[in-house]
């Protein structure tokens, strides 16, 4: 990559945007991979995340974010009141910078004081300590997102989560997130050995690591001097302290040359820092340069509800304004209180006042004591560095010159400069770079820091793995798996399953020797139509409705009349949305004067129930109607075919008469079966055969399925799945999901005749709009191939015979299509312009995707038993 | 967000399903008149796009299945009031 260093004068802001524009196709295939490779970016793994993640929920009165000196002080007073306190810190070791400083608190080392305080807090029942936990987002109404890192635990045990995504509900929060040091932009400030001064100090004090043998310090503030002092105390040689301010030296640093009013302008050393060059022309041999450009309050979380930070000249940084998220207050360095002793008092007082505000009584105590160490700073965004690059964002390789160029090219807004230069767009989101970059921008444009402003801070504060948001909801746990009560029986039959509305439904039941699904499905259809078949229809939505006004209520939600449904009868109902489009259909049975049971389609069960609750509670609250979903409380089976009654008579108790006379077509009633077990019987048919649906309480579902199969043995009974169900409904011309697509009216479906003109119902008025009544709308009809050997496919588009396929000539489409084993050829139902008046006409069914183009005849969608005679025998 | 359910107390908004403006309660009743076509059109399609306090319908699907009228400030997400929709409906004279 030395070549890029050499070419660097050419590679400025927006270089890639400007250079790799042509030819267009090269970007994705050539330039981008090459650039990513050169930048050392890896390849995205296509493997699933191997780690486990979890979610958790916690509740508290006061959430304290950050367990440094301020946060610990706040926690002590808040917790002394008995308030429920959560103290969270992203480090595994609580104490914040106290663990990296040499100062004394209450006469002991800061780290010892922190440790003792944490121990005291952990002994309190009302305190929850969450170390290794980052508060990454502030959401509405006191909800905080927190990510707990448990990587070390997860490495030992694969089943343990690597991260836990906590949702913390807090009445109040105190942000004590401290401050982050920033750098200074000077020539070649990216050589190994050039580090932030606070990092050099942490290495020395916390980890006992010397970052160099000849360390120099470059600062614009008092705190940089503390680094020099601590290094000397650890017997690490400090060769120079360079302070850009023209003031007297802040401290005495034995053995070091002191340069006041001086800047670093260049550095040397290819693989490691060898020397630095000062603005006074002097060169200094050094292998580590500790840089301190001042401290930025860590106010990120205060801006998650669009708070805008304000500039504070005294500490030369942005501080939170008063528009924090509701319930959040700020204390300590995060607020701009840079003197530790003041920050401790502030934390102490804030913990106390927040707890008091919530009605808790705080125990009197004194804040911890530490010597007052003053902090003063003069902004220093860097010095002209000539040809040498002065890095601003070290993680995203943005230089001071890039920012200047962006400004020159007209990018004046801080948000635009960010996106053009990528300043602050790396994983650290500019935590060390942004304020420096804004300072450089302000200088370039001759405006104040306030005028320049910051980019908007958004969650997450630091990166959170996508897996942590998913938690355990992946693979089979993504959503619930619903099995019907007789699922085990179906598994025993080697059923093939399909997922519908989270349910596992049997699709077909292959027999030994059957090699193609069509063999199984054709057999199931033929056997059902010839004798009797059984289908698990438990998954249909079932809604139990009681009350004096139910029939009136149903009248308002169905297009057809329900006011006079007699007890012991069931009725087909069509439900519209308010805009006149069909929402759902099903049957509703009246079991007694004030008791109804409605069925919905499997897919719409939830929506229909929600809609009915809306209609009742919002539109007609005084109707005496009470409803509850009983989808999962009943197992239900369709028993269909000419022998269905004979079969049922073997399981229905003999005192229940289900003969054609006593229990005619569309009959409904409560019966007992198998010697006293309560059941509901409905004489309804989706298949077009003599058919019933029988419902029992869920716990009897499995037994009933087995009993029906046993009773049906003499009739050669067959279980059938959703495919055979689909074949038979298309043979009968019943609309289902593909037809109820949200764009079809009752008229389009050929059910306009059901609409009662004598009442208001949901969808009535808007269903009468002119365009919805036009004759040339797409209307549902049947289709059959002219050549009965032809394959007809759902999704095919319909064209007049001599038209070429195009949007303009499109006449409609085939929505559902199957091979009819009864008719011996394919049939379909679909929509075509003016379909109802075009029966007998021939059109083309064209499928350009699968290369099919056949001639079909428009016909009635009722292919089998159009008069419905079989239903009534 | 947290919705303070009038019967059940504060509940996480994840338990709810959102519908839209509480004006959906005001379904026209003049269906027999020709003029109602316009009223139904307004009712179904025309919404105020409010920057401020918005009365809206939420359904406690993972709870007691109440429809609620929540007054929420669309700028701050502050929730100022939560009522049972059936009370609101009765309040504007809807009944049977």
């Amino acid at each position: 990559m030395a070549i890029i260093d050499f070419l660097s004068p050419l590679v400025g802001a927006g270089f890639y945007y400007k250079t790799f524009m042509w030819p267009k196709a090269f970007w994705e295939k050539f330039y981008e991979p090459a650039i990513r490779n050169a930048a050392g970016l890896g390849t995205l793994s296509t493997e699933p995340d191997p780690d486990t993640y979890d979610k958790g929920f916690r509740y508290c009165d006061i959430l304290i974010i950050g367990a440094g000196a301020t946060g610990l002080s706040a926690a002590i007073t808040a917790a002394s009141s008995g308030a429920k306190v959560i103290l969270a810190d992203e480090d595994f070791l609580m104490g914040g910078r106290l663990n990296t400083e040499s100062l004394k608190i209450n006469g002991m080392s800061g780290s010892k004081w922190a440790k003792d305080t944490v121990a005291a807090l952990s002994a309190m029942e009302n305190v929850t300590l969450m170390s290794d936990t980052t508060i990454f987002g502030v959401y509405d109404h006191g909800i905080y997102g927190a990510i707990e890192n448990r990587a070390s635990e997860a490495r030992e045990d694969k089943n343990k989560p690597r991260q836990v995504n906590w949702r913390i509900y807090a009445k109040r929060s105190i942000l004590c997130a401290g401050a982050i040091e920033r750098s200074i932009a000077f020539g070649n400030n990216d050589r190994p050995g050039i580090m932030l001064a606070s990092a050099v100090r942490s290495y020395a004090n916390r980890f006992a690591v010397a970052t160099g043998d000849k360390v120099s310090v470059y600062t614009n503030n008092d705190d940089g001097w503390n680094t020099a002092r601590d290094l000397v105390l650890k017997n690490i040689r400090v060769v120079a302290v360079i302070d850009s301010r023209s003031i007297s030296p802040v401290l005495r640093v034995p053995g070091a040359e002191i340069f006041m009013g001086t800047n670093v302008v260049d550095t040397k050393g290819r693989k490691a820092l060898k020397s630095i060059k000062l603005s006074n022309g002097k060169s200094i041999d050094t292998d580590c340069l500790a840089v301190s450009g001042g401290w930025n309050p860590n106010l990120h979380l205060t801006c998650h509800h669009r708070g805008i930070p304000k500039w504070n000249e005294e500490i030369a940084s942005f501080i939170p304004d008063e528009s924090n998220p509701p319930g959040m207050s700020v204390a300590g360095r995060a607020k701009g209180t840079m003197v530790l002793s003041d920050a401790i008092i502030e934390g102490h007082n804030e913990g106390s006042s927040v707890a008091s505000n919530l009605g808790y009584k705080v125990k009197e105590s004194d804040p911890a004591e530490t010597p007052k160490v003053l902090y003063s700073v003069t902004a220093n965004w860097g010095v002209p560095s000539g040809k040498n690059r002065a890095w601003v964002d070290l993680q995203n390789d943005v230089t001071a010159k890039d920012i200047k160029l962006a400004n020159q090219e007209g990018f004046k807004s801080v948000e635009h400069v960010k996106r053009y230069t990528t300043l602050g767009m790396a994983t650290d989101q500019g935590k060390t770079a942004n304020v420096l970059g804004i300072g450089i921008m302000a200088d370039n444009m001759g405006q104040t820091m306030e005028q320049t402003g910051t980019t908007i801070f958004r969650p997450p504060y630091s990166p959170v793995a996508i897996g942590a948001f998913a938690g355990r909801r992946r693979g089979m746990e993504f959503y619930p798996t619903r099995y019907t009560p007789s699922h085990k029986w179906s598994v025993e039959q080697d059923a093939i399953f399909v997922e519908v509305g989270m349910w596992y439904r049997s699709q077909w039941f292959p027999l030994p020797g059957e090699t193609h699904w069509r063999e199984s499905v054709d057999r199931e259809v033929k056997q059902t139509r010839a004798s009797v078949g059984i289908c698990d229809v438990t998954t249909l939505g079932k809604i139990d409705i009681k009350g004096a006004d139910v029939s009136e209520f149903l009248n308002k939600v169905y297009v057809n009349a329900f006011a006079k449904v007699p007890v012991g009868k069931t009725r087909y109902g069509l439900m519209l949305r308010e805009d006149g489009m069909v929402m759902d259909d099903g049957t509703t049975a009246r079991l007694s004067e004030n008791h109804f049971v409605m069925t919905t389609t499997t897919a719409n069960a939830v929506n229909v129930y929600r809609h009915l609750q809306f209609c009742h509670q919002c539109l007609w609250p005084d109707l005496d109607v009470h409803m509850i979903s009983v989808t999962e409380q009943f197992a239900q089976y369709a028993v269909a075919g000419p022998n269905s009654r004979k079969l049922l008579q073997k399981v229905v108790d003999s005192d229940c008469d289900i003969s054609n006379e006593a229990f005619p077509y569309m009959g409904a009633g409560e019966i007992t079966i198998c010697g006293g077990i309560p059941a509901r019987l409905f004489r309804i048919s989706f298949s077009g055969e003599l058919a019933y649906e029988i419902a029992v309480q869920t716990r009897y579902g499995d037994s009933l399925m087995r009993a029906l199969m046993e009773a049906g043995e003499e009739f050669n009974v067959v279980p059938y799945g959703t495919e055979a169900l689909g074949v038979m409904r298309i043979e009968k011309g019943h609309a289902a999901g593909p037809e109820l697509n949200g764009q079809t009216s009752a008229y389009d479906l050929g059910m306009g005749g059901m609409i009662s003109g004598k009442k208001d119902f949901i969808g009535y008025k808007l269903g009468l709009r002119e365009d919805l009544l036009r004759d040339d709308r797409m209307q549902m009809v049947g289709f059959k191939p002219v050549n009965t050997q032809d394959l007809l496919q759902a999704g095919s588009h319909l064209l007049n015979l001599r038209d070429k396929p195009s949007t303009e000539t499109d006449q409609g489409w085939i929505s559902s299509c199957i091979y009819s084993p009864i008719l011996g050829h394919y049939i379909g139902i679909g929509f075509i312009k003016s379909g109802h008046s075009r029966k007998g006409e021939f059109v083309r069914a064209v499928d350009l995707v699968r290369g099919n183009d056949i001639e079909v005849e428009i016909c009635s969608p009722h292919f089998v038993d159009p008069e419905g005679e079989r239903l009534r025998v | 967000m947290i919705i303070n359910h009038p019967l059940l107390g504060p509940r996480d908004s994840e338990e709810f399903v959102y519908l839209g403006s509480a004006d959906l309660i005001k379904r026209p009743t003049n269906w027999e008149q020709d003029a109602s076509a316009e009223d139904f059109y307004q009712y179904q399609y025309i919404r105020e796009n409010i920057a401020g306090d918005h009365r809206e319908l939420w359904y406690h699907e993972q709870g007691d299945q109440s429809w609620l009228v929540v007054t929420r400030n669309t700028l701050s997400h502050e929730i100022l009031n939560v009522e049972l929709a059936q009370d609101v409906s009765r309040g504007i004279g809807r009944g049977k």
Side-chain angles (χ1 to χ4, degrees), chain A residues 583-597:
Chain A
M583 178 164 84
D584 200 57
D585 68 345
T587 58
T588 297
R590 188 169 204 166
L591 296 176
S592 68
E593 184 60 28
N594 293 339
H595 186 192
F596 292 70
V597 184

Side-chain angles (χ1 to χ4, degrees), chain A residues 484-501:
Chain A
T484 69
S486 51
H487 183 80
K488 186 162 167 271
W489 179 87
S490 299
V491 171
E492 287 164 19
Q493 313 309 311
D494 297 324
I496 307 299
F497 293 98
V498 60
E499 253 186 286
V500 189

Side-chain angles (χ1 to χ4, degrees), chain A residues 228-426:
Chain A
R229 179 202 59 205
D230 284 6
L231 294 179
V232 170
L233 284 174
K234 294 272 176 192
N235 289 322
I236 299 166
R237 192 174 152 211
V238 177
V239 292
V241 177
I242 304 110
D243 194 321
S244 57
R245 300 171 297 172
S246 298
I247 56 169
S248 324
V250 176
L251 295 169
R252 213 177 60 79
V253 183
E257 279 188 274
I258 308 292
F259 301 94
M260 302 307 294
T262 307
N263 283 297
V264 178
V265 293
D266 193 10
T267 69
K268 284 201 162 58
R270 181 95 213 138
K271 292 194 169 152
L273 181 66
K274 285 194 176 137
S275 68
I276 56 175
K277 194 179 167 198
L278 307 185
S279 53
N280 59 13
K282 204 169 155 77
S283 222
I284 293 169
D285 284 351
T286 179
D287 57 0
C288 173
L289 177 61
V291 183
S292 180
W295 290 79
N296 300 326
N298 199 359
L299 49 74
H300 203 293
L301 297 179
T302 68
C303 300
H304 283 195
H305 289 198
R306 285 285 171 124
I308 295 170
K310 61 184 177 196
W311 180 252
N312 181 294
E313 195 60 45
E314 196 188 325
I315 63 161
S317 196
F318 288 97
I319 59 171
D321 74 349
E322 274 76 47
S323 64
N324 301 325
M328 177 188 276
S329 53
V330 194
R333 283 183 173 150
K335 197 183 181 179
T337 306
M338 307 311 279
V339 175
L340 180 65
S341 49
D342 294 345
I344 288 175
I345 294 167
E346 205 169 275
H348 179 90
N349 292 343
E350 194 60 29
S352 162
S353 77
V354 168
S356 310
N357 262 326
L358 288 171
Y360 291 95
K361 227 174 132 63
V362 180
K363 283 192 189 132
E364 283 292 321
S365 66
D366 294 322
E369 283 180 19
T370 186
K372 194 171 181 121
V373 180
L374 293 176
Y375 173 77
S376 113
V377 58
T378 305
N380 180 0
W381 311 126
V383 285
S385 50
K387 281 184 188 165
N388 297 322
R389 282 168 295 168
W391 302 91
V392 179
D393 187 334
L394 288 151
Q395 204 183 0
N396 244 0
D397 288 357
V398 179
T399 64
K401 199 176 145 199
D402 291 332
I403 296 172
K404 191 170 184 189
L405 186 63
N407 291 152
Q408 281 170 353
E409 290 183 1
F411 295 92
K412 307 283 185 195
S413 149
V414 65
E415 298 283 2
H416 290 156
V417 171
K418 169 180 174 176
R419 281 151 187 85
Y420 193 54
T421 62
T422 73
L423 172 70
M425 284 168 69

Side-chain angles (χ1 to χ4, degrees), chain A residues 576-581 611 614 619 742 762-767 769 772, chain B residues 19-21 23-28 36-48:
Chain A
L576 305 186
R577 304 189 309 217
E578 191 68 88
D579 64 2
M581 295 302 154
H611 171 72
F614 168 81
L619 303 182
I762 301 286
Y764 170 70
K765 198 75 194 189
L766 292 175
R769 282 174 293 171
L772 294 182
Chain B
L19 181 64
S21 167
D23 284 347
L24 285 166
I25 292 175
K26 301 176 189 163
R27 186 172 184 272
S36 69
E38 174 64 19
D39 295 342
F40 272 93
Y41 163 75
Q42 292 281 339
Y43 166 76
Q44 175 68 14
Y45 294 109
I46 305 303
R47 297 279 178 277
E48 292 278 327

Side-chain angles (χ1 to χ4, degrees), chain A residues 57 140-143 167 169 305 326 549 552 556 578-579 606-607 609-624 627-629 757-766 769, chain B residues 1-3 12 14 17 19 24-37 40-41 43-45 57 59 61 64-68 76-79 85-87 89-90 94-96:
Chain A
F57 300 84
D140 291 311
H141 307 157
I143 300 175
R167 187 179 296 184
Y169 298 78
H305 289 198
D549 299 325
E552 199 183 330
K556 293 174 186 292
E578 191 68 88
D579 64 2
V606 171
N607 291 339
Y609 182 65
R610 187 188 298 160
H611 171 72
L612 294 182
Q613 289 287 6
F614 168 81
C615 291
H616 179 226
Q617 295 177 37
C618 297
L619 303 182
W620 302 291
D622 288 339
L623 285 178
D624 182 20
M627 55 195 139
I628 191 161
S629 164
K758 295 181 195 146
K759 58 162 188 168
D760 182 25
F761 56 86
I762 301 286
Y764 170 70
K765 198 75 194 189
L766 292 175
R769 282 174 293 171
Chain B
M1 293 202 298
I2 294 171
I3 293 174
D12 195 295
E14 272 194 3
V17 172
L19 181 64
L24 285 166
I25 292 175
K26 301 176 189 163
R27 186 172 184 272
T29 52
N30 56 342
W31 62 279
E32 282 169 301
Q33 297 161 16
D34 287 344
S36 69
F40 272 93
Y41 163 75
Y43 166 76
Q44 175 68 14
Y45 294 109
L57 284 160
Y59 175 55
E61 186 149 86
D64 73 340
Q65 284 139 32
S66 288
W67 277 94
L68 304 179
S76 67
H77 284 189
E78 188 186 356
I79 290 179
Q86 51 183 314
D87 292 345
S89 180
R90 286 192 188 101
R94 294 198 68 97
K96 289 194 171 189

